[in-house]
Amino acid sequence: MGRSGPVRTGAGRSPGAGPRPRRTPPRRVLKDDRGVSVLEFAGFLPILLVIGLAAIQLGLIGYAAGQAGSGARAAARVTAQGGDGAAAGRAAMDSGLDADVDTADDGELSRATATVTVPVLVPFVGSGWQVTRTVTMPTDE
């Protein structure tokens, strides 16, 4: 015996509509990942700041070394010509730096030593770092 009545193809769908699209399950709030990148950035930000401060501190060490070299050269040059080399060495360096210049002249050679205390940007790395540069020049006769 055969079936009687219309053939059902789906609730409210026409017979030639094709397969029914899959329904996606509703998203659960606990599995939502919005805002995770902000939390990752907030967790990584202190590390980025420490790396940035360390790079700036290395730059300050290089700056202090350059200033010590300039001061020692100026002091040795002026001492070799018979002048006040210590004052010339301090004048050749940045006035904001804590620097000390020592000179010596033994008649043939003039020697100047400049010592600069490195400014500390990062407080937990310690203090009291010093950069020393020594320059020797022949004394003018």
Side-chain angles (χ1 to χ4, degrees):
M1 194 159 151
R3 287 178 120 185
S4 63
V7 178
R8 299 188 74 171
T9 59
R13 293 176 49 88
S14 64
R20 176 177 261 182
R22 289 186 171 209
R23 245 184 102 166
T24 58
R27 294 180 114 188
R28 293 182 62 192
V29 176
L30 296 176
K31 291 187 178 183
D32 192 5
D33 61 355
R34 286 181 289 170
V36 171
S37 61
V38 173
L39 289 175
E40 290 173 353
F41 179 72
F44 198 63
L45 186 62
I47 296 169
L48 288 174
L49 289 174
V50 167
I51 290 171
L53 289 175
I56 294 171
Q57 185 66 54
L58 286 174
L60 285 173
I61 292 170
Y63 178 71
Q67 290 292 304
S70 295
R73 273 191 308 277
R77 187 178 308 116
V78 171
T79 301
Q81 295 172 353
D84 184 11
R90 281 190 292 277
M93 291 186 282
D94 185 5
S95 62
L97 293 174
D98 182 20
D100 183 34
V101 179
D102 294 322
T103 59
D105 188 3
D106 65 1
E108 290 184 18
L109 295 175
S110 297
R111 177 173 286 127
T113 301
T115 304
V116 176
T117 302
V118 177
V120 177
L121 179 69
V122 184
F124 54 84
V125 296
S127 62
W129 293 347
Q130 291 185 336
V131 178
T132 302
R133 296 290 183 259
T134 300
V135 175
T136 304
M137 290 190 175
T139 303
D140 289 343
E141 293 182 27

